[in-house]
Structure formats: structure tokens, C-alpha cells
Amino acid sequence: MFEHMTADRTANAIMQDSTFKGTNLVVEGTKDYKFYSKFFNIENTVQIKQVGGKEKVREVIELLNARNFNEKIGIIDSDFSKILSDEVNTENVFLTDFHDIEVMMFGSPALETTLNIYTTNEKIEKFLDGRKLRGIILDLAKQIGFLKLANHIYKLGLAFKPRQPQGKPLKYKDFIDNRTLDFKGNEQLITTVHNYSINRSDKVIDAKIVEEKVKELVDDKYDLLHLVNGHDLSNILFFLLKKVLRSPNMSLYDIHSIEDSLIMSYEARFWIDTELFKKIYDWGLSNNQTLFKEDIEHLYNKLRLEV
């Protein structure tokens, strides 16, 4: 509903809802709703509004701030903000610990639980042959991360997803080997994305310039958990399970299967260990608002007493 409304109309709708007396949580999209509804008390004290994008979350919260409407917070993905020292300073807007919520989940034991849903430990260990799984996946995702960062900084006009949700996605098999999960090289990655961007972007910069801009960034040392994109991590995980390990699990249908499994596997004990949770918890205390489900509040307070 709110995805198709302007920020102004969304803010008006939130303020005019006299039937709800709790806190409005404004998030980017459906995936965020699925994730945060696990932990916030949406039965009683919190309403989650998915508004369709990071900038719109900021705009809605800024409008509500200006109108002195206090019962609201927003959560957005950090994206490249910490790498570029361009962190959001909008009051009552909170950022994910890392690039996005998928990266937060990837760094937790939810990854191992998700893998166990779709394959066996024996298959994983045989594939790894002593290597570290997170390291392999991060090393692949960082290659795409550098390209996305260059696109963000230099406005290269590249497209990494279809204009419409039902459109054809980027083909990861064109730059990742579907037998070994080996990276086919930056030239192949850039060629794939550049070709994909034609007719999906208003103006695409020449591939040679794209390659030069990526090279300018590759030598810099970035925190990979802020560089890599969760969408790429999920795609690589799907590629690994479906193509390389050939999972027979019929529920492994597409990337959404991976994202949903990670959300399902991400436990409260992982959530309360994040900086995002702690900042929002403190906001609730300061504003006399109970935001989280009772079992999560109980677990957090119990663990604090044990420290």
C-alpha cells in the first residue's frame, strides 16, 4: 500500500491513524518486514510500514520529525555509507550494523542452519576441502561489491537488477563457474554486467572506463561486511547449493528461498547482539516505548544481568 504513496501522503496516513497508539516502524520493503516482524511486538505496540526504498524511509521520518510526531522510527540499510563516511544523520533513523540485513544474517550461525536445510555436511566438507565457506563466498561477493561501489561513486550507469520485479535477473553463471564456484575474472564480470545494463539503464559508460574505475578501488582496504551486498551473497549461496552441490531439495526454488531460510534461521539471540537492536532498545527506554516481543525483552535483560 505505502510503496505507491508519496512520502507526504505516507506521513499523513501514519499521523491520521487514530486506531493505533504505539510506535510506527518505517522500513524499506517486504524483506525488511519479514525480518523485523520476528522481533518487534507487532501484535500490540508496533506497526511496520514498508514504504518502498531507503530514501523514502528517510523522507517519511524527516516529515514526521518536522511535525513533532514522536511515535516513529525508521530502519534502513547502511549500504556503502560507512565506507564513504556518508552516514545518515536523520534523527530517529537507524542503520544496519553492516551493508544490509542479509549481511547481518550471513555473519551469524543462521548461515549454517540454512545450509543444513538444503544439503549435507558431507557435501559441504567435500566441496570446501579445508577452506572456509564464508571466506569463499565473501571473496566472490567482494568482486561484485567493488563494481557496485565504483558504479555508486562514479555514476557508471550500470544495472544489477531488472527494472521490474518480474524481469530477467543478472546471470551469475556468466562470471562464476557452476561446477567449482570459481570466479571467472573481472573482465568477464564487467562484460556481463555491462551487457545486462544496456536497455536497463539510461546511459551506460564504456566498459573500458568501468574497468579503470574498478581498478582504482580494488587496492583500497575495505571492511568486506560493509562492501558486499546481501543480494549477491544470497545469489552466490543459491548458486552454490543449486548448481555446485546440486541440492535435491524441491523448496530451493530461487534466491527468495535462501533469503526466507536465513530469516527463519536468524534467532533472537543473534538479533539482541547487534548494535542496531541495542540502539533501538535504548530509544524505546528513552521514549517510554516497549518495542520488542516479551520473550526478546526477557532474554536481553537476562543476559545483561549475567554479564
Side-chain angles (χ1 to χ4, degrees):
M1 174 183 176
F2 292 99
E3 293 95 326
H4 307 293
M5 293 169 56
T6 65
D8 188 60
R9 286 187 62 198
T10 302
N12 288 341
I14 290 172
M15 294 183 68
Q16 291 168 6
D17 184 3
S18 59
T19 64
F20 178 66
K21 302 300 181 184
T23 300
N24 292 273
L25 169 58
V26 184
V27 300
E28 296 184 38
T30 303
K31 185 168 49 185
D32 303 281
Y33 180 91
K34 289 179 181 179
F35 180 82
Y36 294 116
S37 63
K38 287 189 63 173
F39 310 116
F40 285 86
N41 188 353
I42 60 173
E43 300 296 326
N44 299 299
T45 62
V46 175
Q47 275 191 157
I48 302 180
K49 303 287 195 302
Q50 54 190 68
V51 299
K54 178 177 183 175
E55 288 308 311
K56 193 169 172 188
V57 172
R58 292 176 62 179
E59 289 172 13
V60 169
I61 296 299
E62 285 172 354
L63 285 167
L64 294 172
N65 286 343
R67 298 172 188 178
N68 296 316
F69 182 85
N70 298 321
E71 292 76 25
K72 86 295 180 189
I73 58 171
I75 303 177
I76 58 176
D77 291 339
S78 290
D79 295 332
F80 294 122
S81 61
K82 294 185 180 179
I83 284 178
L84 300 174
S85 300
D86 184 29
E87 295 191 45
V88 176
N89 56 9
T90 302
E91 187 179 3
N92 302 312
V93 171
F94 299 90
L95 278 70
T96 52
D97 286 23
F98 304 118
H99 193 283
D100 47 47
I101 57 174
E102 293 100 323
V103 178
M104 287 171 56
M105 293 187 288
F106 176 82
S108 79
L111 172 63
E112 283 73 20
T113 303
T114 296
L115 291 170
N116 289 333
I117 292 172
Y118 298 113
T119 192
T120 63
N121 282 330
E122 290 76 16
K123 278 190 174 183
I124 295 171
E125 292 304 320
K126 183 179 179 181
F127 165 74
L128 290 176
D129 192 26
R131 299 174 296 170
K132 299 294 184 182
L133 181 63
R134 280 187 178 82
I136 293 171
I137 295 173
L138 282 173
D139 197 50
L140 283 168
K142 80 176 181 183
Q143 310 301 333
I144 315 168
F146 279 124
L147 183 56
K148 288 185 173 180
L149 180 60
N151 187 55
H152 178 80
I153 294 173
Y154 302 115
K155 313 301 180 189
L156 303 176
L158 300 176
F160 296 87
K161 57 185 179 181
R163 288 182 183 269
Q164 301 297 329
Q166 65 272 21
K168 290 184 179 180
L170 183 69
K171 293 182 179 179
Y172 284 66
K173 70 180 180 65
D174 288 346
F175 53 88
I176 299 176
D177 189 283
N178 62 8
R179 293 174 296 105
T180 63
L181 206 71
D182 289 340
F183 182 52
K184 294 182 179 180
N186 265 313
E187 183 178 347
Q188 189 62 35
L189 168 63
I190 292 170
T191 298
T192 300
V193 175
H194 193 270
N195 291 341
Y196 181 80
S197 303
I198 298 170
N199 299 324
R200 291 183 175 87
S201 179
D202 296 330
K203 184 181 179 182
V204 186
I205 301 299
D206 182 80
K208 287 295 182 183
I209 297 176
V210 172
E211 187 176 355
E212 291 170 7
K213 294 302 182 183
V214 171
K215 284 181 179 177
E216 290 178 15
L217 299 174
V218 168
D219 290 336
D220 289 334
K221 303 297 183 184
Y222 296 114
D223 183 334
L224 291 185
L225 296 181
H226 290 295
L227 175 67
V228 301
N229 183 292
H231 184 75
D232 296 321
L233 293 176
S234 295
N235 268 293
I236 294 167
L237 279 170
F238 175 75
F239 197 83
L240 167 66
L241 290 164
K242 193 73 172 180
K243 303 295 183 182
V244 180
L245 300 181
R246 299 192 175 278
S247 169
N249 193 317
M250 297 299 290
S251 65
L252 185 62
Y253 183 71
D254 59 16
I255 181 180
H256 300 297
S257 305
I258 297 295
E259 292 171 345
D260 289 345
S261 296
L262 284 169
I263 291 172
M264 178 183 69
S265 304
Y266 192 79
E267 301 176 20
R269 61 194 175 101
F270 312 146
W271 166 240
I272 64 175
D273 198 39
T274 65
E275 289 302 311
L276 176 60
F277 165 80
K278 292 167 187 172
K279 288 175 182 177
I280 295 174
Y281 184 87
D282 289 343
W283 183 95
L285 289 179
S286 299
N287 290 273
N288 198 29
Q289 299 286 325
T290 301
L291 302 175
F292 299 105
K293 293 180 178 180
E294 187 175 334
D295 59 331
I296 291 175
E297 296 264 353
H298 176 74
L299 177 62
Y300 181 57
N301 288 318
K302 177 185 176 183
L303 291 175
R304 283 202 302 175
L305 290 174
E306 290 175 357
V307 175

